[in-house]
Amino acid sequence: MPDFCVRRSIRGNYLIMTVRVRFAPSPTGYLHIGSARTALFNYLYARHTGGRFLLRIEDTDLARSTDESTRSILDGLKWLGFAPDEEIVFQSNNADKHREAAKRLLAEGKAYRDFTPKAEPNDANVKEAIKERARQQGGDKNFRDNPYRDLSSEESDARAAAGEPFAIRLKVPAEGKTSFEDGVYGLQERDYSETEDLVLLRSDGHPLYNLAVVLDDIEMQITDVIRGQDHLTNTHKQLLIYSALDAEPPRFAHLPLILAPNKGKLSKRKHGEVVSMTTYRDAGFVAAAFRNFLALLGWSAGEEKEIYSLDELIKKFTLEGIHRSNAVFNFHEGDPKRWTDDKAIWMNAEYIRTMSLAELLPLVKSELKANKLWREEYEPDGRALMTSISSTSAQAFESSTEIGDRPESIAIDRPRYGSHDWFVSTVDLIRARFFTLKDFSTQGRAYFSEDFDFDPAAVAKNLTKFPELQEWLPELADRFEAELGEIGADQPVAGNLPLTDACCSDRFFESNIEAVVKAFAEEKGTKLGVIMNGARTLLTGVAVGPSMLSVFETIGLSRTIYRLKSRLAWNEGVKDPVVR
RNA sequence: GUCCGGUUCGUCUAGGGGUUAGGACACCGCCCUUUCACGGCGGCAACACGGGUUCAAAUCCCGUACCGGAUACCA
């Protein structure tokens, strides 16, 4: 007995079925933003109702489906965190069952053989051709005038036996209408006269989409179909198939579409990478942030809150909160700084600066790893990058409970340079200004490597403009060494600076640094900012960043000295003169 | 063409008979400040149009316009 009969009797007895939804992409490209949101809403609905979230790959169109696309879709879903609760169903594996069902309907007289020769589609512009044909038919088309519709079964069988090719079409009743209560759009009705006798099986024996979907949804015991609004007319067709199959249809909910900035359709072909999920993953988006952004595109909990954890989304998600109007994905074509929706970028930054470090750290780690900036010492149980730590400070760090014993000028809770704790506090320090995870390896590169670039704009603004700094900054380095260097320790700054001696002073911390820099600026009769920003550029390569006092301390004394004395930035400024 | 759906700041949206039409992003200004952010304060900015119903319409009804979707031996 087919599944749908079982389901029907269960429903008839008012037994509560657990919700089963599916996300059913066709593998003809990467996972794009619209599909991703559909997956999200299905996932949220399943979790909200305590149901199951399934995945089905609709690969019945062999010509267009690719394994690469399937992989890309799976990657996207994995990144977003939507793992299916059951094994993935590949629709093409069920083709035999689909054919079987079509033949059954034929035998039952609910479908018929159509011997009309297959029209060769002018593949170039199928969509346009179909539209044009429909336009010409106008309002007075008659979907029931197929000459083969009422062919006697004897003749039909005979022609088939003779080897004449045929498609199998569903016999849609002449009078009546399909109707269903949509979870989002409410009551939907469509007169049969608007629905053609749809093809179930192609003349080459391939089952078609609508048949396959219905059969698979029945077999997978799907209770709720949540999909794009572009499927609204398919739903009416599918209802007809459910009815022919004598099966109970699931509930349906259609989602508004996501449009391009010109309010046109968002297409993979036209808009390319900006709509692909893997683009966002690769651009350093936090999956949770993008998920959050996606959730707000076409859905709202009816409150002013905008930042939702996954758990909160699950708790608050309802079909009632879904809109009926389409949303615009407002990216800015050709603007590298605003290449995607402003709000998505903002939300990602918001996540980066507010999410827990426990969640952020692994993301930063993989970003650094990918750029060869990661060091094992940053692991929680890794050793600090300091071999010659003084006994005083080592003790201070390890037993910070005895604060009273230590002289005031020694930083007692400063993490050892290059240690896990240093890594954590550095990430925490610099994340406030970052928009994507990429920033940790680009803008933030100087914190993790000696090999970083100088932003020409920063050099121009903070260095070239004040030629005196060429002398002053190395002088400041000497001052640091003299006044805040390790007393008695001999730590020469080598040209090829080993990271292991990058911090060799217990006195190189904010308040001490501030005193030195302030005195230095006063002595030179210049504004503090000139010194600070010049140093910022030399130390980090960029013009923006945290308070310089924190930067000095985080970079550490040795590297500060080294970088302040480096001619790299200055030389670059010379060899790259302003073009007239 | 026909069928279906939609229309609140530039964008995402709240509001569903009585609101100074609220929030967020973006943008602008001020404050904070060694830079840039963050943060704080403030500003700009919307009910597509026309008819009805009603004491009262962004909200309900009808029409128009515009936008979108569908229309296939694609999915």
Side-chain angles (χ1 to χ4, degrees):
Chain A
M1 183 187 262
D3 283 338
F4 53 81
C5 293
V6 178
R7 291 177 64 228
R8 184 185 227 181
S9 62
I10 288 171
R11 282 244 184 124
N13 289 328
Y14 298 103
L15 287 181
I16 296 163
M17 285 185 72
T18 54
V19 162
R20 291 169 66 84
V21 297
R22 85 295 197 281
F23 172 56
S26 60
T28 55
Y30 42 67
L31 181 68
H32 66 91
I33 183 164
S35 313
R37 193 200 52 176
T38 300
L40 169 66
F41 285 8
N42 272 283
Y43 179 85
L44 293 178
Y45 187 72
R47 290 290 172 271
H48 179 82
T49 55
R52 315 202 64 144
F53 170 73
L54 313 185
L55 178 60
R56 182 173 71 227
I57 304 293
E58 311 228 309
D59 54 352
T60 52
D61 186 350
L62 291 333
R64 293 200 297 155
S65 301
T66 66
D67 288 348
E68 193 199 344
S69 167
T70 301
R71 223 172 305 122
S72 172
I73 288 169
L74 261 24
D75 275 358
L77 290 174
K78 186 180 165 202
W79 179 63
L80 287 167
F82 307 145
D85 294 321
E86 290 173 17
E87 211 169 310
I88 301 171
V89 173
F90 287 86
Q91 190 158 66
S92 57
N93 290 155
N94 297 338
D96 284 342
K97 291 183 202 162
H98 301 157
R99 266 187 287 273
E100 218 52 30
K103 283 176 189 155
R104 204 163 56 238
L105 291 176
L106 182 61
E108 290 170 0
K110 291 170 174 170
Y112 63 95
R113 293 192 186 93
D114 182 359
F115 294 97
T116 311
K118 184 185 174 192
E120 281 310 319
N122 42 339
D123 36 49
N125 241 331
V126 218
K127 212 94 181 173
E128 266 315 301
I130 284 157
K131 205 170 183 176
E132 187 47 41
R133 192 209 303 171
R135 220 193 317 273
Q136 269 167 30
Q137 283 174 341
D140 31 66
K141 74 231 153 191
N142 178 6
F143 285 133
R144 309 293 161 250
D145 60 359
N146 189 310
Y148 301 101
R149 187 180 152 94
D150 295 311
L151 207 62
S152 71
S153 55
E154 290 77 20
E155 189 179 348
S156 177
D157 288 349
R159 291 176 77 151
E164 200 175 329
F166 60 86
I168 296 182
R169 303 190 96 111
L170 184 70
K171 209 179 257 185
V172 177
E175 306 224 327
K177 64 186 176 187
T178 40
S179 72
F180 66 98
E181 188 68 29
D182 189 274
V184 171
Y185 289 95
L187 181 66
Q188 297 292 308
E189 295 187 305
R190 190 175 171 90
D191 200 278
Y192 287 165
S193 66
E194 297 293 334
T195 303
E196 61 171 343
D197 285 346
L198 57 148
V199 173
L200 303 175
L201 209 62
R202 246 156 49 172
S203 50
D204 64 4
H206 266 105
L208 251 30
Y209 174 73
N210 282 305
L211 207 223
V213 165
V214 168
L215 259 6
D216 287 353
D217 281 342
I218 291 171
E219 180 162 310
M220 292 167 78
Q221 304 187 40
I222 299 303
T223 61
D224 297 80
V225 171
I226 302 171
R227 63 189 1 169
Q229 188 238 69
D230 50 337
H231 283 287
L232 259 168
T233 49
N234 279 331
T235 299
H236 287 96
K237 293 178 185 176
Q238 291 172 16
L239 247 15
L240 254 6
I241 298 178
Y242 276 103
S243 149
L245 253 19
D246 201 26
E248 180 87 358
R251 293 180 287 256
F252 292 95
H254 291 86
L255 273 20
L257 269 18
I258 298 178
L259 307 178
N262 66 357
K263 297 196 194 294
K265 200 178 182 180
L266 206 51
S267 86
K268 299 181 189 180
R269 199 168 49 79
K270 252 184 87 181
H271 302 106
E273 305 261 278
V274 73
V275 302
S276 165
M277 267 326 95
T278 47
T279 299
Y280 292 87
R281 180 198 59 193
D282 298 343
F285 270 73
V286 174
F290 203 78
R291 219 162 42 202
N292 196 155
F293 168 75
L294 237 30
L296 264 21
L297 226 44
W299 173 83
S300 158
E303 57 188 3
E304 293 190 346
K305 188 176 158 77
E306 307 224 57
I307 304 293
Y308 292 98
S309 68
L310 225 211
D311 283 346
E312 289 171 321
L313 285 176
I314 289 167
K315 208 166 289 165
K316 304 228 167 174
F317 184 81
T318 61
L319 262 23
E320 287 70 43
I322 299 175
H323 307 150
R324 278 157 288 272
S325 53
N326 297 337
V328 170
F329 182 47
N330 197 24
F331 58 91
H332 305 80
E333 226 159 346
D335 184 344
K337 221 185 152 196
R338 302 171 71 193
W339 62 278
T340 188
D341 196 300
D342 285 328
K343 196 148 187 174
I345 296 176
W346 167 79
M347 193 160 292
N348 202 49
E350 180 71 14
Y351 267 74
I352 285 177
R353 62 178 173 251
T354 61
M355 69 198 291
S356 77
L357 283 167
E359 291 171 292
L360 178 62
L361 258 15
L363 304 178
V364 176
K365 174 178 170 180
S366 38
E367 173 60 25
L368 293 186
K369 264 193 159 164
N371 290 281
K372 300 194 166 55
L373 297 171
W374 176 255
R375 305 182 64 102
E376 287 310 309
E377 291 82 357
Y378 300 156
E379 296 286 0
D381 53 355
R383 298 182 58 83
L385 286 170
M386 183 162 57
T387 49
S388 60
I389 186 163
S390 78
S391 56
T392 321
S393 115
Q395 268 176 20
F397 190 72
E398 263 134 46
S399 57
S400 51
T401 43
E402 307 164 43
I403 293 172
D405 297 346
R406 255 146 292 284
E408 222 179 54
S409 61
I410 290 180
I412 50 164
D413 54 356
R414 195 149 47 92
R416 281 180 284 172
Y417 178 80
S419 67
H420 171 71
D421 291 329
W422 175 87
F423 172 65
V424 174
S425 68
T426 300
V427 167
D428 199 22
L429 175 71
I430 61 184
R431 66 169 166 165
R433 286 158 184 81
F434 289 172
F435 289 88
T436 71
L437 296 169
K438 278 264 157 287
D439 291 333
F440 285 96
S441 65
T442 54
Q443 276 195 67
R445 193 180 172 89
Y447 293 90
F448 305 106
S449 168
E450 288 308 299
D451 177 25
F452 59 91
D453 293 330
F454 293 93
D455 170 19
V459 172
K461 181 185 170 200
N462 295 330
L463 294 177
T464 319
K465 214 166 131 192
F466 307 100
E468 323 80 89
L469 290 174
Q470 263 189 100
E471 311 302 325
W472 293 353
L473 262 11
E475 205 177 310
L476 176 64
D478 289 335
R479 195 68 57 90
F480 278 145
E481 193 169 19
E483 297 192 21
L484 301 176
E486 185 75 76
I487 299 159
D490 186 21
Q491 295 281 347
V493 176
N496 185 16
L497 185 81
L499 280 166
T500 46
D501 76 350
C503 174
C504 56
S505 171
D506 296 319
R507 302 166 60 217
F508 194 65
F509 58 91
E510 295 196 17
S511 54
N512 288 352
I513 295 166
E514 183 173 23
V516 170
V517 180
K518 272 193 169 155
F520 187 80
E522 217 164 292
E523 182 185 318
K524 298 296 178 196
T526 188
K527 279 194 276 192
L528 185 65
V530 173
I531 304 291
M532 288 295 198
N533 292 321
R536 178 188 301 286
T537 304
L538 248 23
L539 257 60
T540 66
V542 291
V544 310
S547 152
M548 265 316 284
L549 298 174
S550 317
V551 174
F552 280 129
E553 184 179 311
T554 299
I555 298 290
L557 178 59
S558 292
R559 297 208 299 179
T560 292
I561 291 170
Y562 176 65
R563 293 181 189 184
L564 285 178
K565 289 186 171 179
S566 166
R567 306 292 309 159
L568 236 53
W570 294 106
N571 292 343
E572 270 183 26
V574 170
K575 90 177 166 219
D576 190 20
V578 181
V579 185
R580 297 150 301 257

